[in-house]
Amino acid sequence: MIIVMKKEANAADIAMVVARVEKLGYQAHLSTGEERTIIGLIGGQRPVDKTQFEVLEPVEKAMPVMHPYKLASRDMHPNGTMVALNGFKLGGEKIGIIAGPCAVESRSQFLETAYAVKEAGATALRGGIFKPRSSPYSFQGLGEEGLELISEAYELTGLPVVTEALSPEQVPLVARHAAMIQVGARNMQNFALLQAVGQSGQPVLLKRGMMATIEEWLMAAEYILANGNPHVVLCERGIRTFERATRNSTDISSIPVIKQASHLPIILDPSHSTGRHNYVAAVARAGIAAGADGLIIEVHPRPEEALSDGAQSLKPEKFARLVEETRAIAAAIGRSL
Amino acid sequence: MIIVMKKEANAADIAMVVARVEKLGYQAHLSTGEERTIIGLIGGQRPVDKTQFEVLEPVEKAMPVMHPYKLASRDMHPNGTMVALNGFKLGGEKIGIIAGPCAVESRSQFLETAYAVKEAGATALRGGIFKPRSSPYSFQGLGEEGLELISEAYELTGLPVVTEALSPEQVPLVARHAAMIQVGARNMQNFALLQAVGQSGQPVLLKRGMMATIEEWLMAAEYILANGNPHVVLCERGIRTFERATRNSTDISSIPVIKQASHLPIILDPSHSTGRHNYVAAVARAGIAAGADGLIIEVHPRPEEALSDGAQSLKPEKFARLVEETRAIAAAIGRSL
Amino acid sequence: MIIVMKKEANAADIAMVVARVEKLGYQAHLSTGEERTIIGLIGGQRPVDKTQFEVLEPVEKAMPVMHPYKLASRDMHPNGTMVALNGFKLGGEKIGIIAGPCAVESRSQFLETAYAVKEAGATALRGGIFKPRSSPYSFQGLGEEGLELISEAYELTGLPVVTEALSPEQVPLVARHAAMIQVGARNMQNFALLQAVGQSGQPVLLKRGMMATIEEWLMAAEYILANGNPHVVLCERGIRTFERATRNSTDISSIPVIKQASHLPIILDPSHSTGRHNYVAAVARAGIAAGADGLIIEVHPRPEEALSDGAQSLKPEKFARLVEETRAIAAAIGRSL
Amino acid sequence: MIIVMKKEANAADIAMVVARVEKLGYQAHLSTGEERTIIGLIGGQRPVDKTQFEVLEPVEKAMPVMHPYKLASRDMHPNGTMVALNGFKLGGEKIGIIAGPCAVESRSQFLETAYAVKEAGATALRGGIFKPRSSPYSFQGLGEEGLELISEAYELTGLPVVTEALSPEQVPLVARHAAMIQVGARNMQNFALLQAVGQSGQPVLLKRGMMATIEEWLMAAEYILANGNPHVVLCERGIRTFERATRNSTDISSIPVIKQASHLPIILDPSHSTGRHNYVAAVARAGIAAGADGLIIEVHPRPEEALSDGAQSLKPEKFARLVEETRAIAAAIGRSL
């Protein structure tokens, strides 16, 4: 932390700030310029919040020097970590592809999609049973009765299933049936939920909040890691901006930024980040080219009948083509499917 | 809903879309232009999602004509509604002022603040005991042991207390001790929590998500209303933009927009929206001048010792001055404190 | 400037950075922590760009300590400056109100509006003759033939006129006829134009770019000031965000932020920032309550016939009511009209 | 255009709106629902601004059905257009790579870079001589004396040069020396400049404004096209969001969106969109994978000595590696360098 004193700060002001620094267990290091004094914090064990200094009258501002996450930092595992989803290791040389419907609507719809995406080359299956919907009048998912379908789909196809939990009490239920628990974008800072999935020990797919900075996203991962669960995969799904041609704006740069800042695997969701099926393949290719470890794609046998997100869902044949394009891009950068 | 067909759509395409419209229980009304056909939906009971049409190949886009909320709409109560907080009615002629520390840190800190804000003219008391913190290493609030302090502060000062619940299971606990349950900005679309506070029947302070549109915010209110709880107060607390001189950007226009769109009371939180104590009073005055029904202000007897949000907390004497300025602005627009 | 070295930086790396600091005419001040070395720049005359250090391999990041503007800083004139518009001084105790049509459409429309806003209490007149339109097919303003109307309106009503210049070559023309030259939001970083209005010596109304930070806005003012023109008034006109209920989001906090950071007067444009006439009065009141030195308001005798921006224009009688409301708010904070 | 009437609109209101629609040369087509009447505009030649209707009291809102651009629309050239830069055709099967320093700093720096990027496989050379800098105290480019260097670099290397013009009067000068005139992000809505480059007839590289929607960007292109110049190449260079890990957020989806909406070639600038050299290659690969027709990359022989944008400039050897990676991605999608 660097503390910049106000121009008019005098010796007593500086002494007061230094005393506070030391009280927090740090040493204070002064740089006395012609116009200002700057105080650096050295040593110390506990993290310090910059507002603890900015609240002091003679302080102009305080600037953190270090990022606030530790367990999520690449420094912890310079070679990166992998998260196993049954046999498949996300974060390794091979690109993972998770595919399936936005929502599990019925046994036949889910199984039909499951077989189709498996045939096309998917590594895992997605399908929501607890659906966070912005309207209380929209289809909210099958709920608990969908859990059995998740188990059945896994047994029949061998594809591990990713599904979302919306509240702490759903976590154990979901963990029993699904291979990976998704924390959705709207819940990225639902700290009670982060703690619950952390304690579950189950692999977690942590979607980026649509308003979250990369640093906040890594802090959300830190919650899970700090609760003892190292199996975290990050998922970029677009951020909210002023642009309206797409549902969100895919922050493609987050992929190389995360790769440098963190050891965690990162995948891309081009379905939610674009919101329209005709842009999904282009953005999926971009994600792999940028270094993502995988994709999560919405597929529906009849998108026009989907109970949610039909406009961004691919038909199985279009998905199969996307898989082939992804394979070509992966090969171009020395990876494979 | 208006459906715009693609230029190349032919008669069969149009018939297909019309059939789908009718299957959903609506009548289709065609406008055939030189370049395009446009189909309007008439009648119908169930709300329709525009993506159900946009997913169809010959459709260029679908545009909702109506807003998606009903119970939150001003049409329901053209004269506005009021929410009682003990004797005080938020949404009436009188401006309400909720004040107190970001977090309840100790009995003495909370009571000292409670007496101070009461003396300065506050209508209600705020104080967090379950704190959503972006770092797992930050102070997370006193938790359940803080609940008794909330009851005690109310008994001693007569000020009703507003405090946040972070998960559905905290709702009954909080409802037993606090007069009003806060749903925080990060939880504005935590639908499990919205349902729980809806079912509680207790007055709810619904903060706007930092990346939420006004329409999404009203849909979050709709969740609470649709669960049978009419006692909802909206709270503008700033949105996230590219500007960094303030913690968030206060969307001052949301006040007249909400006043026109909805019957619900709206208050402003200038502490979180600016993030710095020296801007709080100016933005508070602006909020009242724009028509807000109240303010929620962070006050701490010693901000430099606050365990959270010290930089945006006012000392009691500065808060007292803010109350007087607010009184003058209220009088200028024909309201009072 | 503070330079944070990478964890792995060694003594040679540090020496290299120090050498570069000194080559730029600064002294380097080292803080050696357990994990990192931090280098502060002391002294020096020329401003330094942080990227000059961030480009160096062993540097993690560089953080400016000072803001980059000088002439626009409040430090230069702690009591604030005023800009005279004929007799009226913007930035003084009195609130200025500039009003008139978005575009000068005809002699009769402009004069009718001019007389109406004068009667209602306006201090100055606005009216665009060179119109920046996002479509090449929209009305682009009367152009040079409008200049005479500007002079005539001034002669007949005594109200000084504010009008926009779009390019350096229009500046001398506009300066001859108008009392104040507007630099529009889209041109806030049109540096050729900023230099031209700087050299003109004429009062300038500098609108904030819709995606400009407050710091960039003050740097645009710095361009004008550095070219020898001290007569700069800032105008907040809303920033672009994800919200669509209003045309832009009024950044109300920019008013207290500017008042603290700069000595320049600041006014608010609630017409452009909201984009809808029914929100203009509420936001205008908010601006004055927050401390703005004035308002600029679009008024049109028949908004439904306006060639541009009709939806955000007030009829004269509604404008007259806004002036009275503004007067009441001004009185409440100890100012007057 | 679709006009939605207010719920309370009566027959006279509707007749008034219909009369206005017809006065503008359109036919009105009514859909009378149970709650609202909706009026569609049919036929008509002149574009209509939606605010012309929204200003009417009984109108709730007006929604444009068509996009506002014509010449830039893909409908005009369904197979896309190409823009020749000397022999090379941007927009064809081959990917173009424009590279060079942010600013031309000296003869030796520019020529050294030019030879290096040519050797690495660049198609064209970039180099700014008129630099838009946010500070009046920063290096503003060599100005007119740099023009000769541009001609010389072209003669020596055969690489056509792209350079920026900042104002209408610089356009003829730049057109005489450079093969392609750049309109920078800050000038995307500098309409005087757009007209001037339109009239020049010279190939134009139109950068997206950092706050511009894709629609506004295409309208800026429309200005150039409507002034008789069909040689327009679009350049995505990142938009401004709340994220700060990168200088801007690369809107990767804009590439497929533009490819579908417009016939114009589009290239990507990963240097400005990321702002840091270590993210440039990943985002460059993503752009080609998403379908961009080319890249524009900042290269400097000694980034640490660059007078501007050093932190985002690649050394020639890193650029050469990027070219090879681009070649592999291009091959994977059936294109070539």
Side-chain angles (χ1 to χ4, degrees):
Chain A
M1 185 85 63
I2 296 290
I3 300 166
V4 182
M5 301 297 292
K6 284 189 183 157
K7 228 165 97 172
E8 58 269 25
N10 59 29
D13 293 331
I14 293 168
M16 181 268 282
V17 175
V18 168
R20 180 168 300 267
V21 167
E22 292 172 349
K23 197 176 153 198
L24 288 163
Y26 285 82
Q27 296 166 48
H29 185 277
L30 270 68
S31 298
T32 310
E34 273 158 51
E35 288 214 340
R36 315 250 173 170
T37 294
I38 287 166
I39 301 172
L41 270 64
I42 296 178
Q45 298 303 320
R46 290 186 310 156
V48 191
D49 186 0
K50 74 180 182 127
T51 64
Q52 283 184 277
F53 294 104
E54 288 188 339
V55 74
L56 303 172
E57 194 53 41
V59 168
E60 177 145 325
K61 59 177 169 181
M63 302 184 292
V65 165
M66 280 3 171
H67 46 68
Y69 44 86
K70 290 174 193 173
L71 304 175
S73 170
R74 192 149 193 109
D75 293 345
M76 292 293 288
H77 302 280
N79 298 321
T81 48
M82 290 187 274
V83 173
L85 207 51
N86 284 20
F88 191 83
K89 290 197 165 148
L90 272 165
E93 177 266 338
K94 279 184 173 306
I95 302 292
I97 298 187
I98 305 168
C102 174
V104 177
E105 299 169 4
S106 69
R107 183 173 182 277
S108 63
Q109 169 253 17
F110 192 45
L111 293 183
E112 179 182 353
T113 314
Y115 283 116
V117 303
K118 186 184 183 181
E119 195 183 313
T123 320
L125 187 59
R126 61 154 290 152
I129 54 171
F130 300 109
K131 297 300 303 172
R133 301 302 299 274
S134 52
S135 167
Y137 312 121
S138 297
F139 174 62
Q140 311 270 325
L142 292 183
E144 296 192 19
E145 62 170 298
L147 289 167
E148 296 300 334
L149 295 178
I150 281 180
S151 293
E152 188 182 359
Y154 169 57
E155 279 154 35
L156 291 174
T157 64
L159 292 179
V161 184
V162 182
T163 200
E164 182 167 357
L166 294 179
S167 66
E169 60 262 49
Q170 290 172 356
V171 170
L173 272 177
V174 166
R176 212 170 309 134
H177 293 265
M180 188 177 223
I181 308 172
Q182 178 178 305
V183 173
R186 287 171 177 77
N187 279 324
M188 194 203 82
Q189 290 193 323
N190 179 338
F191 301 114
L193 182 61
L194 294 176
Q195 282 164 348
V197 298
Q199 287 154 12
S200 79
Q202 192 89 346
V204 177
L205 186 64
L206 178 63
K207 293 201 139 190
R208 180 181 183 180
M210 71 182 91
M211 84 302 148
T213 63
I214 292 173
E215 190 173 292
E216 289 169 334
W217 189 16
L218 288 174
M219 287 307 288
E222 189 86 7
Y223 260 90
I224 303 172
L225 299 169
N227 275 279
N229 186 348
H231 311 299
V232 178
V233 174
L234 301 169
C235 179
E236 165 69 33
R237 46 79 71 210
I239 55 173
R240 182 164 278 186
T241 70
F242 58 86
E243 179 56 60
R244 290 287 163 111
T246 43
R247 185 169 171 185
N248 295 286
S249 297
T250 313
D251 183 11
I252 196 79
S253 321
S254 73
I255 297 167
V257 171
I258 287 286
K259 279 289 165 201
Q260 190 169 307
S262 178
H263 57 87
L264 298 171
I266 177 170
I267 69 171
L268 176 68
D269 176 348
S271 305
H272 280 89
S273 69
T274 64
R276 298 193 62 109
H277 63 87
N278 39 342
Y279 305 139
V280 168
V283 172
R285 294 192 308 262
I288 299 306
D293 297 307
L295 298 169
I296 179 165
I297 310 273
E298 290 194 351
V299 177
H300 195 288
R302 286 165 299 283
E304 61 282 4
E305 295 175 9
L307 295 181
S308 65
D309 282 353
Q312 70 197 32
S313 295
L314 299 186
K315 292 191 186 176
E317 56 270 26
K318 260 189 114 173
F319 170 66
R321 219 173 313 139
L322 178 149
V323 173
E324 290 320 304
E325 292 175 14
T326 303
R327 194 186 306 280
I329 298 285
I333 58 166
R335 297 178 81 167
S336 64
L337 248 59
Chain B
M1 185 84 63
I2 297 289
I3 300 165
V4 181
M5 302 295 294
K6 283 189 184 155
K7 231 166 93 172
E8 58 270 24
N10 60 27
D13 293 331
I14 293 167
M16 181 269 282
V17 175
V18 167
R20 180 169 299 267
V21 166
E22 292 172 349
K23 196 176 155 200
L24 288 164
Y26 285 81
Q27 295 166 51
H29 185 276
L30 268 68
S31 297
T32 310
E34 273 158 51
E35 287 214 339
R36 315 250 172 169
T37 294
I38 287 166
I39 301 172
L41 270 65
I42 296 178
Q45 299 303 320
R46 290 187 310 156
V48 192
D49 186 0
K50 74 180 182 126
T51 62
Q52 283 185 277
F53 294 104
E54 288 189 340
V55 74
L56 302 171
E57 194 54 41
V59 169
E60 175 144 327
K61 60 176 168 182
M63 301 184 292
V65 164
M66 283 357 174
H67 45 70
Y69 45 86
K70 291 176 192 171
L71 304 175
S73 169
R74 190 149 194 111
D75 294 345
M76 292 293 289
H77 302 281
N79 298 321
T81 48
M82 289 186 277
V83 173
L85 206 53
N86 283 20
F88 190 84
K89 289 195 165 149
L90 271 165
E93 176 266 338
K94 278 185 174 307
I95 302 293
I97 299 186
I98 305 169
C102 175
V104 177
E105 299 168 4
S106 68
R107 184 172 181 276
S108 63
Q109 170 253 15
F110 193 44
L111 294 182
E112 179 182 355
T113 314
Y115 282 117
V117 301
K118 187 186 181 178
E119 194 183 312
T123 320
L125 187 59
R126 62 155 290 155
I129 54 170
F130 300 110
K131 296 301 301 170
R133 300 304 298 275
S134 51
S135 167
Y137 312 121
S138 297
F139 173 60
Q140 311 269 326
L142 293 182
E144 297 192 20
E145 62 171 298
L147 289 167
E148 295 301 333
L149 294 178
I150 281 180
S151 293
E152 188 182 359
Y154 170 56
E155 279 154 35
L156 291 174
T157 64
L159 292 180
V161 183
V162 183
T163 200
E164 182 166 356
L166 294 180
S167 66
E169 59 262 48
Q170 290 173 356
V171 169
L173 272 178
V174 166
R176 211 170 309 134
H177 293 267
M180 188 175 224
I181 307 172
Q182 179 177 306
V183 174
R186 286 172 178 77
N187 279 323
M188 195 203 83
Q189 290 193 321
N190 179 339
F191 301 114
L193 182 61
L194 294 175
Q195 283 164 348
V197 298
Q199 287 153 13
S200 78
Q202 192 90 344
V204 177
L205 185 65
L206 178 63
K207 293 201 139 189
R208 179 180 184 179
M210 70 183 92
M211 212 68 173
T213 62
I214 292 174
E215 190 173 291
E216 289 169 334
W217 189 15
L218 288 174
M219 286 308 286
E222 189 86 6
Y223 259 90
I224 303 172
L225 299 170
N227 275 278
N229 186 350
H231 310 299
V232 178
V233 174
L234 301 169
C235 179
E236 165 70 34
R237 47 78 72 210
I239 55 174
R240 182 165 278 185
T241 71
F242 58 87
E243 178 57 58
R244 291 289 164 111
T246 44
R247 187 168 169 184
N248 294 285
S249 297
T250 313
D251 184 10
I252 196 80
S253 320
S254 74
I255 296 168
V257 171
I258 286 287
K259 280 288 164 201
Q260 190 168 307
S262 178
H263 58 87
L264 297 171
I266 177 170
I267 69 171
L268 176 67
D269 176 347
S271 305
H272 281 88
S273 70
T274 63
R276 299 193 61 110
H277 64 87
N278 40 340
Y279 305 138
V280 168
V283 172
R285 293 192 308 261
I288 299 306
D293 297 307
L295 298 168
I296 180 165
I297 309 274
E298 291 195 351
V299 177
H300 196 287
R302 286 164 301 284
E304 62 282 5
E305 295 176 9
L307 295 181
S308 64
D309 282 353
Q312 70 197 31
S313 296
L314 299 185
K315 292 190 185 177
E317 55 271 25
K318 259 189 116 174
F319 171 66
R321 220 175 312 139
L322 177 150
V323 173
E324 289 320 303
E325 292 175 13
T326 303
R327 194 185 305 280
I329 298 285
I333 58 165
R335 296 178 82 166
S336 64
L337 246 61
Chain C
M1 185 84 61
I2 297 289
I3 300 166
V4 181
M5 301 298 292
K6 285 189 182 155
K7 229 165 95 172
E8 58 269 26
N10 60 27
D13 294 330
I14 293 167
M16 181 269 282
V17 175
V18 167
R20 180 168 300 267
V21 167
E22 291 173 349
K23 197 178 153 198
L24 288 163
Y26 285 81
Q27 295 167 50
H29 186 277
L30 269 67
S31 297
T32 310
E34 271 158 54
E35 287 215 340
R36 315 250 173 171
T37 294
I38 288 167
I39 301 172
L41 270 65
I42 296 178
Q45 299 303 320
R46 291 187 309 157
V48 191
D49 186 0
K50 75 180 180 126
T51 63
Q52 283 184 277
F53 294 103
E54 288 188 339
V55 75
L56 302 171
E57 196 53 40
V59 168
E60 176 144 327
K61 61 177 167 181
M63 303 184 290
V65 164
M66 283 358 174
H67 47 67
Y69 45 86
K70 292 175 191 170
L71 304 174
S73 169
R74 191 147 192 113
D75 293 345
M76 292 292 289
H77 303 280
N79 298 320
T81 48
M82 290 187 274
V83 172
L85 207 51
N86 284 20
F88 191 84
K89 290 198 164 145
L90 272 165
E93 176 267 339
K94 278 184 174 306
I95 303 293
I97 299 185
I98 304 170
C102 175
V104 177
E105 298 169 3
S106 69
R107 184 173 181 275
S108 63
Q109 170 253 15
F110 193 44
L111 293 182
E112 180 182 353
T113 314
Y115 283 116
V117 302
K118 187 184 183 181
E119 196 183 311
T123 320
L125 188 59
R126 61 154 291 154
I129 55 172
F130 300 110
K131 297 300 304 170
R133 300 304 298 276
S134 52
S135 167
Y137 311 121
S138 297
F139 173 61
Q140 310 271 324
L142 293 183
E144 296 193 18
E145 62 171 298
L147 289 167
E148 295 301 333
L149 295 178
I150 281 180
S151 291
E152 189 183 358
Y154 170 55
E155 279 154 33
L156 290 173
T157 64
L159 292 179
V161 184
V162 183
T163 201
E164 181 168 356
L166 293 180
S167 66
E169 59 261 48
Q170 290 172 356
V171 170
L173 271 177
V174 166
R176 212 171 307 134
H177 293 266
M180 189 176 223
I181 308 172
Q182 178 177 307
V183 174
R186 286 172 178 77
N187 279 322
M188 195 203 82
Q189 289 193 323
N190 179 337
F191 301 113
L193 182 62
L194 294 176
Q195 283 165 347
V197 299
Q199 287 154 12
S200 78
Q202 194 88 347
V204 177
L205 185 65
L206 178 65
K207 292 200 140 189
R208 180 179 183 180
M210 70 183 91
M211 212 69 176
T213 62
I214 292 174
E215 190 173 291
E216 289 170 334
W217 189 15
L218 288 174
M219 286 308 286
E222 188 87 6
Y223 258 92
I224 303 173
L225 299 169
N227 275 278
N229 187 349
H231 311 299
V232 178
V233 175
L234 301 169
C235 180
E236 166 68 34
R237 48 76 72 208
I239 55 173
R240 181 164 280 186
T241 71
F242 58 86
E243 178 56 59
R244 289 289 162 110
T246 44
R247 186 169 170 183
N248 295 286
S249 297
T250 313
D251 183 12
I252 196 78
S253 322
S254 74
I255 297 168
V257 172
I258 286 286
K259 280 290 166 199
Q260 189 169 307
S262 177
H263 57 87
L264 297 171
I266 177 169
I267 69 172
L268 176 67
D269 176 348
S271 305
H272 281 88
S273 70
T274 64
R276 300 194 60 111
H277 62 88
N278 39 343
Y279 305 138
V280 168
V283 173
R285 292 193 308 262
I288 299 306
D293 297 306
L295 299 168
I296 179 165
I297 309 273
E298 290 195 351
V299 178
H300 196 288
R302 286 165 300 283
E304 63 281 6
E305 295 176 8
L307 296 180
S308 63
D309 281 354
Q312 70 196 32
S313 296
L314 298 186
K315 292 191 186 178
E317 55 271 24
K318 258 188 116 175
F319 170 67
R321 218 173 314 138
L322 177 151
V323 172
E324 289 320 303
E325 292 175 12
T326 303
R327 193 186 306 280
I329 298 285
I333 57 165
R335 298 178 80 167
S336 64
L337 248 60
Chain D
M1 185 85 63
I2 297 288
I3 300 165
V4 181
M5 301 296 293
K6 284 188 183 155
K7 228 166 95 172
E8 58 270 25
N10 60 27
D13 293 331
I14 293 166
M16 181 270 282
V17 174
V18 167
R20 180 168 299 267
V21 166
E22 292 172 349
K23 197 177 153 198
L24 288 164
Y26 284 81
Q27 294 167 49
H29 186 277
L30 269 67
S31 298
T32 310
E34 272 158 54
E35 286 215 339
R36 315 250 173 170
T37 294
I38 287 167
I39 301 172
L41 270 65
I42 296 177
Q45 299 304 320
R46 291 186 309 156
V48 191
D49 185 0
K50 76 183 181 121
T51 64
Q52 283 184 276
F53 294 104
E54 288 188 339
V55 74
L56 302 172
E57 194 53 40
V59 169
E60 176 145 325
K61 61 176 168 182
M63 301 184 293
V65 164
M66 275 14 164
H67 47 68
Y69 44 86
K70 291 175 191 172
L71 305 175
S73 170
R74 190 146 193 113
D75 293 345
M76 292 293 289
H77 302 281
N79 298 321
T81 49
M82 289 186 274
V83 172
L85 206 52
N86 283 21
F88 190 84
K89 289 196 165 149
L90 272 166
E93 177 266 339
K94 279 183 173 307
I95 303 291
I97 299 186
I98 306 170
C102 175
V104 178
E105 298 169 4
S106 69
R107 183 173 181 275
S108 63
Q109 169 253 15
F110 193 45
L111 293 182
E112 179 182 353
T113 314
Y115 282 116
V117 301
K118 187 184 182 181
E119 195 183 311
T123 321
L125 188 59
R126 62 155 290 155
I129 54 170
F130 301 110
K131 296 301 303 170
R133 301 304 298 274
S134 52
S135 167
Y137 312 121
S138 296
F139 173 61
Q140 310 271 324
L142 292 182
E144 297 192 18
E145 63 171 297
L147 289 167
E148 294 302 332
L149 295 178
I150 281 179
S151 292
E152 188 182 357
Y154 170 55
E155 278 155 34
L156 290 173
T157 63
L159 292 179
V161 184
V162 183
T163 200
E164 181 168 356
L166 293 179
S167 66
E169 59 262 49
Q170 289 172 357
V171 170
L173 272 177
V174 166
R176 211 169 309 133
H177 293 266
M180 187 175 224
I181 308 172
Q182 177 177 307
V183 173
R186 287 172 177 77
N187 279 322
M188 195 205 83
Q189 289 193 323
N190 179 338
F191 301 113
L193 182 62
L194 294 176
Q195 283 164 347
V197 297
Q199 287 154 12
S200 79
Q202 193 89 346
V204 177
L205 185 65
L206 179 63
K207 292 200 139 190
R208 179 180 185 180
M210 72 183 90
M211 84 299 146
T213 62
I214 292 174
E215 189 173 292
E216 289 169 335
W217 188 16
L218 288 174
M219 286 307 287
E222 188 87 6
Y223 259 91
I224 303 173
L225 299 169
N227 275 278
N229 186 350
H231 310 299
V232 178
V233 174
L234 301 169
C235 179
E236 166 69 33
R237 46 79 70 209
I239 55 173
R240 182 165 279 185
T241 71
F242 58 84
E243 179 55 61
R244 290 289 163 110
T246 44
R247 186 169 170 183
N248 295 285
S249 297
T250 313
D251 183 11
I252 196 80
S253 321
S254 73
I255 296 168
V257 171
I258 286 286
K259 280 289 165 201
Q260 189 169 306
S262 178
H263 57 88
L264 298 171
I266 177 170
I267 69 172
L268 176 67
D269 176 349
S271 305
H272 281 88
S273 70
T274 63
R276 297 191 65 108
H277 63 89
N278 38 342
Y279 305 138
V280 168
V283 173
R285 294 191 308 261
I288 298 307
D293 298 306
L295 298 168
I296 179 165
I297 309 274
E298 290 195 352
V299 177
H300 195 289
R302 286 165 300 284
E304 63 282 5
E305 294 176 8
L307 296 180
S308 63
D309 282 353
Q312 70 197 32
S313 296
L314 299 186
K315 291 190 187 179
E317 56 272 24
K318 260 189 112 172
F319 170 67
R321 220 173 312 138
L322 178 149
V323 173
E324 289 321 302
E325 292 175 13
T326 302
R327 193 186 307 279
I329 299 286
I333 57 165
R335 297 178 81 166
S336 64
L337 247 59

